[in-house]
Amino acid sequence: MFDDLRELYQEVILDHSKHPRNFRHPEDANHEAHGYNPLCGDTVNVYLKMGHNGLIEDAAFEGKGCAISLASASMMTEIIKGKTETQAKTIFDGFQKLVKGEDDNFDAGEDTERLMVLAGVKQFPMRVKCATLARHAMSSAMDGAEETSTE
Amino acid sequence: MNDMKTFDIEKVRADFPIFAREVHGRPLIYLDSGASAQKPTVVLDAVQKAYAETYANVHRGVHYLSQTSTELYEASRETIRAHMNAASIDEVIFTKNATESINLVAYSYGAANLKEGDEIILSTLEHHSNIVPWQLIAEKTGAVVKAVPIDEHGEFMLDAYLEMLGPRTKIVAVTHISNAIGTIVPVREVIDAAHDAGAVVLIDGSQAVPHMKIDMQALGADFYVFTGHKVFGPTGIGVLYGKAALLDKMPPFLGGGDMINRVTFEKTTFAKGHSKFEAGTPPIVQAIGLGTAIDYVNAIGFDKIAAHEQMLLAYATEQLSQINSLRIIGQAKHKAAIISFTLDDVHPHDIGTIVDRAGVAIRVGHHCAQPLMDHFDVAATARASFALYNNRADVDALVASIRDVQEIFG
Ligand SMILES: Cc1ncc(COP(=O)(O)O)c(C=O)c1O
């Protein structure tokens, strides 16, 4: 089988998609947003608990989607928890460039390695939106918008 | 096998130049004809020739090329008329696709004839292009849209439909064949019952025309639409068949050149026949290409095409059914060669990406039929759709590539 498929669907991604982390709706979430990809019908609801100074105290999600979108949502919740809004947005921007193949020197500090597992998506342009749906919904949640769509 | 005597699949495949190419280093396995079909050399040549040798605008000039171009364009209309067995060429209107054909009927016939409380009956099987135009016109007129249910096999529920018909029913618009799950709708019964109730009927033949012979006079539909690119013709060309008695009374849809009789600022009178609905320069070359495509399928013969495709459908259904965790969505008794399926725990988009790497092109998603997806409680499916150029090896390649999916997802 093809190496790029193996890279796209590596163990970590399959693990996150089959056992998504933070797959829940926290009662005390104070920011949430709904993400929708009209091309495939995938949906994600993200829930954030934002504290003082833009600190993300909790991040969780629920939704339906392909392995890539579920894994990406799951990993993102882990990564942004404990970060500030500004830090999270810097990571999102870098991640966006990474999966679109626009940045070969991706650096997200200690999270670089974890996010690099999604870099395989750049070989599959049709799937970039799957990888970025959750990240867009999370940005919207921080900004107070309630709906995001990939289109 | 006597299969070869009646239908030479290798010869047919050789008619389609795209099969000479590879995808990701593998031979192309094209199982997405339901979305759009590949083009035979004769169509490509006709298009090339129409531009290179006979091109000019139609219906406008007295010069030689304009006349030649007009003759070819109108000859194509006659080819399509004969193919559909329409009573007259005035009943054959060229549009840009099936979507435009449906919108034309909704906006012209619908807007002129629907009143508050009138009912438009669709079915759960419909493609969005046979839903949304009716919703838009219902909103404008106060009419109500209703959908005939389907059963767990994806079968159109004729009894429920008969119950729904009534004095308020003004328009029935249903698909001939479901693009998403292949169900063949008993359109003859649908049409007869609608006529008994005094309603007019539009049949969306987009998925039927590539697979079966259609006969307007035998069927009795008031409107019948299809799209050229799915029947091996170019993109940008569609057909609306309408009964002359209805078309004559309908207001124009789009206004412009070619559809008028006489224009003054005080009052414009409109052309008659199909011209009233063909405003502006039409898709000339695309129409010529479509006529050639229709000649091509007729030269092979729909009895042979249908037998070949039904063989493929049976073979693919049998092979796919042997895959654990694969669920075929839609098991109607009469189906076209379209198979929708899901795999436990694997999202259709992941299936699509993985099989693509094996050169297998299938469609994944909601197939522009979200109400149908909702009925089966799935967000999306993977769909293999077959055409006259597919063979058993294509089915084998599909099955092998689904094994790849299972291997990756463990
Ligand atoms: C059943 C059906 N109706 C309508 C359409 C719309 O065709 P087009 O997009 O060419 O207008 C399609 C194809 O997408 C279809 O499968």
Side-chain angles (χ1 to χ4, degrees):
Chain A
M1 214 176 311
F2 289 83
D3 290 347
D4 52 0
L5 277 180
R6 287 284 180 210
E7 191 193 339
L8 182 66
Y9 292 106
Q10 45 186 289
E11 276 310 315
V12 188
I13 291 186
L14 294 176
D15 181 53
H16 272 272
S17 74
K18 287 177 191 165
H19 313 286
R21 321 293 196 265
N22 300 309
F23 196 84
R24 58 194 161 81
H25 185 169
E27 301 239 314
D28 56 354
N30 50 15
H31 283 66
E32 61 178 84
H34 175 69
Y36 178 58
N37 182 346
L39 294 183
C40 57
D42 285 0
T43 59
V44 60
N45 289 310
V46 305
Y47 310 106
L48 304 177
K49 183 177 177 216
M50 313 253 309
H52 294 300
N53 309 321
L55 185 72
I56 302 162
E57 292 173 5
D58 194 9
F61 81 106
E62 286 175 337
K64 276 199 216 167
C66 62
I68 309 303
S69 74
L70 288 177
S72 149
S74 167
M75 292 163 74
M76 283 295 178
T77 56
E78 288 194 320
I79 285 169
I80 66 169
K81 206 193 285 191
K83 300 227 162 47
T84 64
E85 182 175 340
T86 319
Q87 287 170 324
K89 287 199 168 163
T90 308
I91 292 173
F92 290 162
D93 290 345
F95 176 73
Q96 183 85 14
K97 292 205 179 97
L98 173 74
V99 294
K100 289 175 101 176
E102 291 166 1
D103 186 3
D104 289 335
N105 306 310
F106 177 65
D107 182 5
E110 57 174 19
D111 299 309
T112 309
E113 213 173 307
R114 277 207 278 177
L115 285 173
M116 281 302 282
V117 304
L118 279 161
V121 172
K122 64 172 177 248
Q123 308 294 340
F124 298 85
M126 304 295 281
R127 306 300 302 278
V128 168
K129 283 176 179 159
C130 311
T132 56
L133 179 62
R135 156 249 177 289
H136 283 299
M138 288 172 183
S139 296
S140 304
M142 291 175 198
D143 296 342
E146 280 170 7
E147 286 277 337
T148 31
S149 162
T150 58
E151 295 308 301
Chain B
M1 267 179 50
N2 69 356
D3 197 34
M4 300 303 278
K5 255 190 248 159
T6 52
F7 182 83
D8 186 346
I9 181 66
E10 287 315 315
K11 199 159 158 287
V12 170
R13 288 174 73 79
D15 291 337
F16 291 79
I18 202 149
F19 293 119
R21 70 158 295 167
E22 296 189 334
V23 171
H24 303 307
R26 306 278 192 96
L28 168 64
I29 309 294
Y30 191 73
L31 297 174
D32 197 21
S33 300
S36 202
Q38 299 298 344
K39 318 303 173 200
T41 303
V42 285
V43 169
L44 303 176
D45 286 351
V47 167
Q48 156 76 13
K49 207 164 161 228
Y51 278 126
E53 297 177 22
T54 59
Y55 187 74
N57 210 332
V58 293
H59 303 148
R60 307 248 162 123
V62 294
H63 62 76
Y64 177 77
L65 283 181
S66 176
Q67 191 185 324
T68 313
S69 199
T70 304
E71 281 165 7
L72 287 167
Y73 177 72
E74 290 303 328
S76 185
R77 192 191 311 276
E78 168 55 24
T79 298
I80 290 156
R81 184 210 62 75
H83 177 68
M84 305 179 82
N85 192 28
S88 129
I89 54 165
D90 277 326
E91 299 184 324
V92 179
I93 297 161
F94 284 128
T95 61
K96 75 169 190 269
N97 50 32
T99 303
E100 189 184 56
S101 299
I102 296 167
N103 276 277
L104 192 162
V105 176
Y107 281 89
S108 171
Y109 183 86
N113 291 282
L114 291 167
K115 297 182 309 297
E116 176 121 25
D118 284 348
E119 292 176 1
I120 304 167
I121 296 186
L122 317 177
S123 89
T124 307
L125 293 168
E126 300 318 307
H127 186 282
H128 294 166
S129 66
N130 197 30
I131 300 175
V132 183
W134 300 113
Q135 290 176 323
L136 292 171
I137 212 68
E139 211 162 277
K140 276 194 171 38
T141 56
V144 182
V145 171
K146 297 192 156 179
V148 178
I150 56 173
D151 69 13
E152 71 274 20
H153 305 295
E155 210 83 73
F156 181 93
M157 294 176 73
L158 204 53
D159 290 348
Y161 165 68
L162 297 177
E163 295 272 307
M164 288 166 74
L165 285 169
R168 288 168 180 271
T169 313
K170 291 289 147 53
I171 297 175
V172 173
V174 298
T175 195
H176 198 158
I177 293 180
S178 156
N179 66 306
I181 59 171
T183 307
I184 301 178
V185 174
V187 285
R188 184 63 206 270
E189 285 87 338
V190 169
I191 294 165
D192 288 349
H195 285 166
D196 288 346
V200 305
V201 185
L202 175 143
I203 301 293
D204 177 359
S206 301
Q207 296 290 340
V209 173
H211 305 295
M212 59 168 72
K213 188 95 173 95
I214 48 167
D215 182 329
M216 290 307 106
Q217 296 186 67
L219 204 56
D222 300 288
F223 302 102
Y224 193 100
V225 310
F226 68 94
T227 198
H229 64 94
K230 292 189 207 274
V231 58
F232 319 105
T235 54
I237 182 77
V239 169
L240 165 62
Y241 159 85
K243 279 185 185 158
L246 290 168
L247 293 175
D248 285 348
K249 289 199 210 104
M250 283 159 57
F253 172 47
L254 301 173
D258 251 14
M259 50 75 74
I260 49 86
N261 179 26
R262 171 92 178 95
V263 176
T264 65
F265 281 108
E266 288 67 43
K267 180 165 176 62
T268 291
T269 56
F270 301 114
K272 296 222 177 327
H274 54 71
S275 302
K276 181 167 68 180
F277 297 103
E278 292 181 4
T281 299
I284 303 165
V285 175
Q286 290 83 346
I288 295 169
L290 178 58
T292 308
I294 295 291
D295 281 339
Y296 173 78
V297 286
N298 278 325
I300 295 173
F302 270 99
D303 45 347
K304 290 180 196 162
I305 293 171
H308 175 71
E309 290 180 353
Q310 286 298 315
M311 178 278 290
L312 287 174
L313 174 65
Y315 180 61
T317 305
E318 176 208 312
Q319 293 294 306
L320 291 171
S321 302
Q322 287 171 19
I323 299 177
N324 291 335
S325 79
L326 187 144
R327 171 181 168 216
I328 293 179
I329 307 280
Q331 310 242 35
K333 213 184 304 146
H334 299 291
K335 268 180 75 167
I338 294 172
I339 303 180
S340 246
F341 61 92
T342 56
L343 280 182
D344 279 356
D345 300 332
V346 186
H347 190 281
H349 269 76
D350 297 314
I351 302 174
T353 293
I354 295 168
V355 303
D356 173 64
R357 277 320 199 241
V360 178
I362 58 170
R363 171 85 189 269
V364 295
H366 52 57
H367 317 292
C368 299
Q370 283 179 323
L372 179 59
M373 298 290 110
D374 292 344
H375 171 82
F376 285 105
D377 199 23
V378 292
T381 70
R383 179 190 71 182
S385 54
F386 298 83
L388 52 86
Y389 39 60
N390 290 116
N391 58 17
R392 291 162 76 99
D394 292 342
V395 176
D396 297 337
L398 171 67
V399 170
S401 68
I402 294 172
R403 303 267 183 220
D404 291 347
V405 177
Q406 290 184 309
E407 198 187 313
I408 286 182
F409 275 79

